[in-house]
Amino acid sequence: MSLKSRAALAHDAARLHVQGRAPYADDLPEIDGTLHAAVGLSEVAHGRLRGLDLAAVAAAPGVAAVIDAKAVPGDPNIGPVFHDEQVFAADRIEYAGQALFAVAAATQAQARRAALLGKAKVTKLKPVLDVEEALAKKSYVVADELLPVIENGWSEETLRAAPHVLSGRQLCGAQEHFYLEGQVAVAQPQEDGRMLIHSSTQNPSEIQHTLAAVLGRPISAIEVRVRRIGGGFGGKETQGCQTAAIAAILAQRTGRPVKLRLPRAVDFVLTGKRHPFLLDYRVGCDDEGRILAADFMVAADCGFSADLSLSILDRAVYHVDNAYHLPCMRVRGFPCKTNKASNTAFRGFGGPQGTLLVERAIEDVARRLGLDPLDVRRRNLYQGRQQRAHYRQKVRDNILPELVERLERDSRYRKRKEAVAAFNAGSELVKKGIALTPVKFGICFMVTFLNQGGALLNVYRDGTVACNHGGTEMGQGLFIKVAQVVAKTLGLSVDRVSCEATSTAKIPNTSATAASSGTDLNGKAAEDAALRLRERLAGLAAELSGDRAEDIVFRDNRVRAPSRSWSFAELVERAYLARLPLAAAGFYRTPKIGSDPLTRIGRPYLYYAYGAAVSEVAVDVLTGEHRLLQVDILHDVGDSINPAVDIGQIEGGYVQGLGWLTTEEMGWDAEGRMLATGPAVYKIPAAGDVPAKFTVRLWPEANREDTIGRSKAVGEPPLLLAISAWAALADAVASARGDGGMVRLDAPATPERVLTAINASAAEAPVQKVRAKRGRERQMTK
Ligand code: MTE
Ligand code: HPA
Ligand code: MOS
């Protein structure tokens, strides 16, 4: 039974999800006496906090406790990497929505009402809200010597001497995670100062050690448990800490369980988003569009503190080559400090933003030279398996030329491109666009030491297996994939294996379930544990049968020796009676990787995940409104452990990327207050935005590296496939303008921005003719 043959299984909790019977943190039965918390927020984006008047909060009905910065019992720092962020603002306010205090009351309504009664005395300062302004001021969230610069064969002269030299600027916006389940934590005091936390987090160990510090307790006195989370998308990699810390401080103070669940509007303003980026490029190219030299600048809007911004900026800097070999290049990165919530991990982790820049440069080159952007892309792709990325890692597993060619053929790109041109020639008001873009995404945590995972398998006397590992289930299908790995290793059907709720008491010092590496790390660790158990059971079987241990086979829920066989459960019972341990721990550390944290040179990634997508769109040239007509994806997940789950991730990743690039617009007013705080104004893609023609195919080859089942990570890379939709919109804009000019289409490409891009052309642009004609028609019908 290969992994492949029994692969496309449903998510282990799919049935419970659709029946509403899969409990999340907020659904846990409440212990008697549970208090509910609410947070008091700053309305000012930048200022000096001169004092808080919380008398009315404390006197409000039902209130049991009120806490602010002074009430934090231990270390108030909750920044995951740098000590630049605290549970509550102490003397300086850094963004509108920052937490100033919290209250616990008998009911949630009482707590939320009481939280509105706090008064802050603040001396206002001018907020910095714009990444450009922060960049000009050289205001960064980390020290200057940590800023990334990578040069590879770089020469300004080569750039200047190129036959064509182009430059451009591209902006991309913030993105709210919009996990269906918001940030939530339940803190339950235990005996002798211990604390149990149910948290909606991708990172139980981070919550555990942060809370230990905040409460002034040893790490072992805190247990964090996560059964499942209702989506994280990176927003719960570090940013669950504040919610959990507030619940835990209040619980320690009152001695009662405390639940804090942020209302959606508070979640919007309190927690960070995807980093907006300001992106600049200069490239020199030849007449065929081959890039001879490239100079990139990527500036991230980090918000007020570092959080994971430096790693995110590193991933952006590592992904400015995307699929292209750039032998003469330079990239510089700037982590800009603004008076906004601290921006954080979001699916892709800076990779999408870096990739967008080189794709924009390619588009400009193609338009300047009058070439099909796909031809320019193909000419610049990594070739063979010996070329190196700018940070010197060899692209050993390169499949880009074959993959792109195959999708070009399967999607009938050239024919459709002609059909789009023919349609556009006969259509004044609606213009279509089409684009194919490739993706190369590096797999591993940016920080080398995070690339480790642990597991603990318990086998019970009926032969069922409980798998504990360090990963969290957020809907991505990690648990079913790890269960499949364990089942395959022990020759069991998957229904004999269950993954247990994640707990820091079972697996210590885990990394976040992030960087798409959940299955890579925890799958390998669980396999390691299963192999240890199998070896032990094989030893027993050999002893009982007199056969050799190498000849024992585990298959179909049975254990077969040449001379006799047992059901797995029978052999397990024999092992129990023989007093053999029926638990095993497993561990995995990703081999071969390592890069210099300052120069960034080395091998940060074990391998790359590849993909490509063709998107076709239609644009209304009068309103800028647009519609996605067709998507064709060819994506590389290696030898898939579970194609059903992987295809779901590819579809979901594409659509989430589509939201980032087209509809999800996050605005701030001049005072730094967020304009959109809910779904009425902030538009994530809905079912109706998914085109009827949406084809996903998997690349048929296994991973060349020895990953779990030779599979590849799938969580984040597909998000970047949506760049094809943005490029298709630019193609439609170019047709609408018809002036052969370059197109700057900032993201999100809302109707307003599409219209602006159409109107950015010279005076003779067709859209203006159309407008004039419509005007005349109107007059004539009056
Ligand atoms: N899929 C679902 N349904 N929900 C999520 O929150 N997070 C994404 C991706 N897919 C997410 C998801 C992100 S940001 C990452 S890093 C990976 O899943 C994490 O899980 P994995 O490493 O197990 O793939
Ligand atoms: N992805 C997600 N989280 C991380 C990473 C990464 O590459 N590096 C450190 N934390
Ligand atoms: Mo994903 S952004 O690495 O949690």
Side-chain angles (χ1 to χ4, degrees):
M1 193 161 31
S2 82
L3 276 179
K4 241 184 173 157
S5 64
R6 54 169 169 68
L9 303 178
H11 191 285
D12 51 298
R15 206 175 283 272
L16 299 181
H17 288 157
V18 297
Q19 293 173 338
R21 293 195 297 122
Y24 294 81
D26 195 32
D27 303 319
L28 297 172
E30 275 169 25
I31 292 171
D32 252 7
T34 296
L35 295 169
H36 298 266
V39 191
L41 309 176
S42 170
E43 285 171 13
V44 173
H46 193 198
R48 252 186 288 283
L49 181 59
R50 298 198 330 273
L52 280 174
D53 178 359
L54 303 177
V57 183
V63 168
V66 185
I67 55 171
D68 61 7
K70 293 189 290 292
V72 178
D75 181 351
N77 287 295
I78 55 170
V81 184
F82 300 95
H83 275 187
D84 59 352
E85 195 180 333
Q86 306 198 337
V87 183
F88 299 111
D91 40 26
R92 217 182 163 81
I93 289 176
E94 299 271 19
Y95 71 99
Q98 190 170 7
L100 302 178
F101 66 93
V103 50
T107 70
Q108 189 180 72
Q110 285 174 331
R112 290 180 180 178
R113 245 176 261 135
L116 299 174
L117 303 175
K119 292 204 169 55
K121 289 190 266 311
V122 182
T123 308
K124 282 197 195 177
L125 299 167
K126 197 180 158 302
V128 175
L129 299 169
D130 184 41
V131 59
E132 222 177 319
E133 186 184 344
L135 190 62
K137 286 187 173 151
K138 298 192 162 59
S139 173
Y140 309 129
V141 292
V142 300
D144 291 8
E145 54 271 24
L146 297 178
L147 269 48
V149 183
I150 303 176
E151 292 188 359
N152 186 27
W154 166 244
S155 140
E156 179 75 36
E157 293 70 52
T158 308
L159 178 77
R160 294 223 178 126
H164 308 273
V165 179
L166 291 68
S167 64
R169 168 163 286 189
Q170 174 75 35
L171 298 177
C172 55
Q175 187 179 20
E176 158 64 32
H177 301 85
F178 222 107
Y179 22 58
L180 286 185
E181 176 201 34
Q183 305 279 355
V184 51
V186 185
Q188 297 170 344
Q190 311 289 302
E191 63 186 54
D192 202 20
R194 306 173 69 84
M195 190 77 76
L196 171 62
I197 315 283
H198 300 277
S199 162
S200 184
T201 177
Q202 297 171 236
N203 204 344
S205 287
E206 177 101 359
I207 304 269
Q208 183 195 27
H209 68 73
T210 304
L211 261 53
V214 164
L215 298 177
R217 302 285 304 157
I219 295 178
S220 59
I222 314 288
E223 182 188 348
V224 179
R225 243 183 252 169
V226 184
R227 174 58 191 90
R228 62 171 59 76
I229 72 179
F233 308 110
K236 295 169 180 171
E237 182 170 345
T238 59
Q239 302 219 348
C241 276
Q242 187 172 35
T243 296
I246 290 169
I249 296 166
L250 286 165
Q252 193 176 63
R253 219 175 199 203
T254 57
R256 290 163 67 175
V258 174
K259 181 194 285 189
L260 174 55
R261 179 170 65 73
L262 301 184
R264 184 65 64 178
V266 171
D267 204 313
F268 258 73
V269 298
L270 181 67
T271 66
K273 325 277 159 229
R274 181 190 293 287
H275 292 63
F277 268 68
L278 168 69
L279 306 160
D280 282 335
Y281 81 85
R282 291 188 304 148
V283 300
C285 65
D286 66 14
D287 293 335
E288 271 83 51
R290 269 179 219 97
I291 296 177
L292 306 173
D295 185 16
F296 298 120
M297 194 286 300
V298 303
D301 178 345
C302 301
F304 84 100
S305 74
D307 186 83
L308 299 170
S309 294
L310 194 58
S311 289
I312 289 163
L313 187 64
D314 277 354
R315 193 173 271 280
V317 159
Y318 278 153
H319 281 75
V320 285
D321 60 334
N322 188 27
Y324 312 110
H325 181 54
L326 306 170
C328 166
M329 72 92 83
R330 170 172 76 165
V331 54
R332 291 169 297 158
F334 299 94
C336 299
K337 178 175 170 166
T338 57
N339 291 109
K340 294 183 188 162
S342 192
N343 288 323
T344 192
F346 196 136
R347 206 171 193 172
F349 205 78
Q353 295 96 321
T355 299
L356 189 63
L357 178 57
V358 70
E359 292 301 340
R360 165 67 194 285
I362 294 256
E363 296 269 307
D364 284 355
V365 166
R367 291 210 174 88
R368 166 71 69 85
L369 301 178
L371 299 170
D372 184 330
L374 179 55
D375 291 327
V376 177
R377 288 192 166 98
R378 287 187 55 168
R379 276 169 206 159
N380 285 287
L381 287 178
Y382 280 101
Q383 300 291 333
R385 303 209 153 100
Q386 296 302 317
Q387 291 179 333
R388 289 177 190 272
H390 48 298
Y391 44 92
R392 317 295 198 268
Q393 171 161 353
K394 238 188 221 174
V395 188
R396 290 177 182 81
D397 51 9
N398 182 26
I399 50 169
L400 284 160
E402 305 93 292
L403 187 142
V404 167
E405 198 188 317
R406 175 111 165 232
L407 180 64
E408 181 182 328
R409 206 172 347 110
D410 290 354
S411 68
R412 298 170 45 251
Y413 172 86
R414 301 284 169 182
K415 277 230 150 51
R416 286 169 58 197
K417 178 100 188 168
E418 279 168 28
V420 164
F423 174 90
N424 287 348
S427 168
E428 256 178 335
L429 298 184
V430 175
K431 297 289 183 186
K432 288 186 179 176
I434 187 168
L436 186 158
T437 60
V439 173
K440 161 178 140 288
F441 194 87
I443 302 300
C444 271
F445 277 97
M446 296 302 308
V447 180
T448 304
F449 69 79
L450 294 173
N451 294 289
Q452 56 173 306
L456 170 68
L457 283 191
N458 293 336
V459 181
Y460 298 95
R461 286 172 66 185
D462 61 356
T464 56
V465 181
C467 175
N468 300 278
H469 58 78
T472 54
E473 176 59 51
M474 59 193 97
Q476 86 279 39
L478 172 65
F479 280 21
I480 185 70
K481 284 184 174 181
V482 174
Q484 284 177 264
V485 166
V486 171
K488 160 141 203 264
T489 310
L490 295 176
L492 297 173
S493 51
V494 184
D495 59 348
R496 305 286 174 97
V497 182
S498 59
C499 282
E500 300 300 302
T502 316
S503 163
T504 54
K506 295 194 171 148
I507 314 294
N509 315 319
T510 56
S511 298
T513 309
S516 305
S517 60
T519 305
D520 283 17
L521 299 177
N522 299 290
K524 269 284 191 193
E527 184 190 51
D528 180 41
L531 287 171
R532 285 167 202 278
L533 271 166
R534 193 173 80 183
E535 200 178 317
R536 208 172 288 153
L537 292 171
L540 174 66
E543 213 177 290
L544 295 173
S545 64
D547 296 312
R548 296 186 317 168
E550 308 87 272
D551 296 332
I552 312 293
V553 177
F554 290 72
R555 251 182 80 183
D556 303 333
N557 296 325
R558 293 197 70 78
V559 183
R560 290 191 179 82
S563 60
R564 57 179 293 198
S565 80
W566 306 261
S567 74
F568 184 78
E570 281 162 3
L571 188 67
V572 163
E573 179 65 12
R574 296 293 293 259
Y576 169 75
L577 296 174
R579 292 179 294 162
L580 290 176
L582 286 168
F587 190 76
Y588 177 70
R589 62 197 290 271
T590 310
K592 301 183 185 177
I593 51 167
S595 57
D596 185 306
L598 284 180
T599 65
R600 274 78 174 174
I601 300 297
R603 180 174 182 179
Y605 306 122
L606 180 61
Y607 64 90
Y608 297 96
Y610 301 94
V614 177
S615 295
E616 184 175 342
V617 299
V619 170
D620 179 328
V621 301
L622 297 179
T623 63
E625 285 168 291
H626 44 79
R627 179 164 274 287
L628 188 57
L629 302 174
Q630 181 170 343
V631 178
D632 296 86
I633 290 172
L634 180 56
H635 195 79
D636 161 34
V637 294
D639 200 349
S640 177
I641 292 173
N642 185 327
V645 163
D646 286 354
I647 289 172
Q649 284 291 299
I650 294 166
E651 292 172 345
Y654 177 96
V655 172
Q656 197 164 35
L658 184 72
W660 168 54
L661 288 167
T662 62
T663 60
E664 297 183 39
E665 186 160 39
M666 199 117 252
W668 284 262
D669 70 13
E671 301 274 302
R673 285 178 300 236
M674 266 176 73
L675 297 172
T677 59
V681 186
Y682 185 77
K683 289 301 179 194
I684 61 172
D689 296 305
V690 178
K693 292 184 193 160
F694 194 152
T695 311
V696 176
R697 288 206 177 86
L698 301 180
W699 182 254
E701 287 179 303
N703 197 338
R704 289 169 169 262
E705 294 295 338
D706 178 22
T707 52
I708 185 69
R710 299 267 169 185
S711 66
K712 287 193 180 184
V714 68
E716 297 169 285
L719 183 133
L720 288 80
L721 297 169
I723 291 174
S724 59
W726 164 87
L729 285 169
D731 186 45
V733 167
S735 292
R737 276 173 30 180
D739 59 359
M742 303 195 299
V743 174
R744 171 170 170 180
L745 185 56
D746 286 338
T750 55
E752 189 181 349
R753 288 214 180 81
V754 169
L755 201 57
T756 305
I758 290 173
N759 290 329
S761 61
E764 70 281 5
V767 62
Q768 286 167 2
K769 280 189 226 148
V770 169
R771 279 239 173 91
K773 204 160 90 196
R774 263 255 298 240
R776 277 201 300 279
E777 277 162 12
R778 270 205 204 108
Q779 278 172 358
M780 285 180 333
T781 53
K782 256 183 200 163

